[in-house]
Amino acid sequence: MTTTYAVLSEGLEKRFGQVRAVRGLDLAVARGTVCGILGPNGAGKTTAVRLLTTLLRPDAGSARIAGHDLVRQAAAVRRSIGVTGQYASVDGDLTGRENLRLFARLHRVRGPAQRAGELLDRFGLAEAADRPVSTYSGGMRRRLDLAASLVRRPEVLFLDEPTTGLDPASRNRIWDAVRELKAQGTTVLLTTQYLEEADRLADDIALVDRGRVARTGSPARFKALIGAHVEVVVADADVLTGAADVLGRLTGGRPAFDRERSAVGAVTGDPALTLPRLVREMDAAGVPLLDASVRPPTLDDVFLRLTEDLAGDRTDGPADDEERAA
């Protein structure tokens, strides 16, 4: 069983005083996949990563990382993983090349200079290799930080919000690196606040809430939970109610009005509801349209819906803020 999963945790718990930051975390990540860890602020994501990377010791539960016991074989776990956190760990006074050579020597990698050169080329940093890191842009620093975590070619890579604050070009470079790592067999755990990032990269998603995994599934499975979003913009505001009646009948959902735009929308789980059918039904009902759309849900739609549902289910007070507790 453990050979199937690069990360397998059962009942992990962590307290900071009276705060239960992680409370029974169950997680299974298959080897060679990308798992997106999502959740609202204070859900326990960062504490979970710190536990799984041996930076914190769990109060209860167990986990195996790359086949090694998280507590009893912590040194072996650390040899098997790479970690890139929310803040760059590289030294600003050293050059990019010096940083990577230093990391390679610390990890006793053969040919540290060669390995540093390979990574500088891979992350588009060769031209800036001999400049002090203090002169790098934020995107360059994050790429260098990711390169440093790959000096040893880890079996499992933990990325804790690696693209926060980056421009689109820098973000795309890191996304390309993650895809390349997956193709080479590396398992990646990615916490992110960018839903598009999880949608593009993750094979599976774990939605964390109040220190435990509330839901798991592929991005497609998550999107199927709420269905497609249907909207029409009418030519005459007087027929808006009629348009809403048609939408309610077609979707089975509750129409939502945007009277400023003379628009009405609803969510449907019916895959047979196509744009041509929508237009035909509106025409048959005598509703003139300016625009109409049937679009699949985005992961942002899903995240908002699920976190609203989770908030409504809570009965034991506000969410814990694990970063504050830590």
Side-chain angles (χ1 to χ4, degrees), residues 68-137:
H68 307 296
D69 185 271
L70 182 65
V71 176
R72 295 196 303 271
Q73 299 172 299
V77 170
R78 287 191 285 270
R79 287 194 296 269
S80 302
I81 65 174
V83 183
T84 296
Q86 297 180 26
Y87 305 100
S89 61
V90 291
D91 189 326
D93 292 331
L94 301 179
T95 67
R97 190 185 308 278
E98 288 169 341
N99 267 284
L100 294 185
R101 290 176 65 178
L102 175 61
F103 274 90
R105 288 197 296 270
L106 289 172
H107 291 303
R108 300 180 181 179
V109 173
R110 291 184 179 179
Q114 179 181 351
R115 183 60 178 152
E118 292 170 355
L119 290 167
L120 290 165
D121 287 336
R122 180 177 181 179
F123 286 93
L125 295 169
E127 291 186 5
D130 298 310
R131 282 169 38 197
V133 171
S134 59
T135 67
Y136 284 18
S137 67

Side-chain angles (χ1 to χ4, degrees), residues 240-295:
L240 201 56
T241 301
D245 291 341
V246 176
L247 273 189
R249 174 170 54 81
L250 289 175
T251 66
R254 179 181 297 177
F257 291 91
D258 182 347
R259 297 188 184 278
E260 186 174 332
R261 296 173 51 235
S262 295
V264 61
V267 173
T268 179
D270 181 5
L273 181 55
T274 61
L275 184 59
R277 181 185 170 198
L278 173 64
V279 173
R280 285 198 304 270
E281 294 286 348
M282 288 290 172
D283 184 58
V287 178
L289 300 180
L290 290 179
D291 195 14
S293 63
V294 179
R295 67 167 179 82

Side-chain angles (χ1 to χ4, degrees), residues 185-204:
T186 299
T187 305
V188 180
L189 265 74
L190 169 73
T191 73
T192 179
Q193 294 290 347
Y194 296 111
L195 281 300
E196 181 189 6
E197 187 163 80
D199 202 4
R200 291 197 182 191
L201 298 178
D203 299 288
D204 290 290

